[in-house]
Structure formats: C-alpha cells, structure tokens
Amino acid sequence: MKEISVIIPAFNCGKYLPCAIDSVMKQGIDLEIILVDDASTDNTEQVVQKLKKKSQYPICYIKNFKNIGVSASRNKGVQYAQAGYIAYLDADDWWESEKLKKQIRKLKESGGILCYTGRELFREDGSKTGRKIAVPPRVDLKKLLYTNYIPCSSVVLKTEVAKEFPMEHDEVHEDYLTWLRIVKKYGCVYGINEPLLKSRLTKNGKSRKKRRSIIMTYGVYRCFGIGRKKAVWYTGNHLIRSLLRYQTGRR
C-alpha cells in the first residue's frame, strides 16, 4: 500500500500543473497522485496525459462531467485514496522537496493526525514576493478559532480522518471549517515552521478579495455553530491577526 495519496483538485489550471506535479515527484516517498479535474475547459486533460507518461508515480485522473466545486472534488479524490495518509495540493501551488517525508516523520513522532507547514508566497507568474508565513508548532481549538494557521496545500492527515470530515460549504473557507471540526474532536494538530509550501497568489483565489474573504470567514464561524455576536468578534480578531501575519510573516 502507498504511504500517501496526493489529492489535486484542478479547474482550468493546465498551465500550472507541470510545476505542481513535478514538485510531488521530487518527494522521494511512496505515493500516488489523484487528480480531480472539475470540468475544466482548458488543456488540463492533455497536460495530465503527458505528465502520466513520464511520471514514476501512478496518476489517477478523474474528470467531473460538470463543475461540482473544490470541496466535492477533494472529497471525491479522498474516496479513491488507497494510502494511509492524504496530502492536499492545489493545482497552482507546489512543494519543497522532501516536504512529505518531514511531515510523516513529525506525525509519527508526535502521534498526531494532521500536520501543516509554513509557506512562501509567490506572484501568479511564479516570481517571489519576498514574504514567508510562519506557523506555530502546535494548534488547539482555542488558538485556531482566532485565525487559520493551516494552509490547505500544506496539510497531511490520516486518510480515515479525511473521510470522517469531508469538506463542505464552498461558499465559505471550506478548509478552515474542516480544520476546526477536526481539532474540536482530536484536540490539537502539529506544524513544521518551514516554508515547505510554495503558494501562488492567483487573481481568482478565494482569499484575494478581502471583503468577500471577511464575509466567508464570518460564514465559517456560523457554520461551526457560533452565534452571530461571537462570530462577528472572532471575525474581527481573525482579520487583525491575518493582516499582521501577512505583513510581518510572524505566527
């Protein structure tokens, strides 16, 4: 059995996929790649077929007949996973080599169920912004409620946990909502404070439009079961902490 199933949801990201998949191939760990094409209209399928021919790892290509959204696409990939761990990677991001090795080691040492990492921010064309975002070594529910320390494309978690907590609500930050639900049950998760994730800031990213992002953050708290007044309070704290982290890079 493979050690990790890498889940890559993709929608019109053909130009970015070679970079993402090449970074997976450099991990030096036994894995499989599950790419879920969410009804792309660009050359995503052709790019994947070319990459499959030169990949030393198996690539399972799944194409949705209609666009179902990133949450459902990730969930579909998880259902196909054969490995003991899931790693999420958005099609426009990429990883530092040996990222997965370090995270598996961390999970085994800590006995944890989820591991995240720091990240380095890049412009849409792949050029550096000069910004790196640090992460704390450990996050519990109290800490996570104040801000989302966990970049989705950095996450490795046990497959059984990913299946227990499928992603929902694309209208909000679906990944943040999922981490909150996981941490509420399992107590805490662990981080590696290294920029092992290379995060591309694309124009269409959900977090790029600040006003919309604030509304979506409020929506996360409401979906998590927090009352309106407290959700507003948490949203304000989240905004302040997020701005400070992006400006300073500190956790």
Side-chain angles (χ1 to χ4, degrees), residues 1-8 30-34 77-78 80-89 95 100 155-157 159:
M1 185 174 74
K2 302 295 182 183
E3 191 158 19
I4 296 182
S5 297
V6 179
I7 310 299
I8 306 177
D30 194 20
L31 57 81
E32 63 176 354
I33 300 169
I34 302 173
V78 169
Y80 277 84
Q82 300 295 313
Y85 291 93
I86 295 291
Y88 291 118
L89 177 62
W95 293 332
L100 297 183
V155 166
V156 172
L157 77 164
T159 301

Side-chain angles (χ1 to χ4, degrees), residues 159-206:
T159 301
E160 62 197 68
V161 177
K163 290 182 177 181
E164 182 183 3
F165 291 96
M167 292 194 179
E168 300 174 330
H169 295 289
D170 278 349
E171 74 276 11
V172 302
H173 297 297
E174 75 290 333
D175 55 336
Y176 186 24
L177 178 60
T178 302
W179 315 146
L180 287 168
R181 288 173 170 171
I182 289 173
V183 172
K184 181 180 180 181
K185 177 173 180 178
Y186 288 98
C188 69
V189 293
Y190 297 91
I192 298 175
N193 190 24
E194 299 178 33
L196 302 177
L197 166 63
K198 309 304 178 182
S199 186
R200 195 187 304 267
L201 301 174
T202 58
K203 294 177 183 177
N204 295 324
K206 288 172 73 173

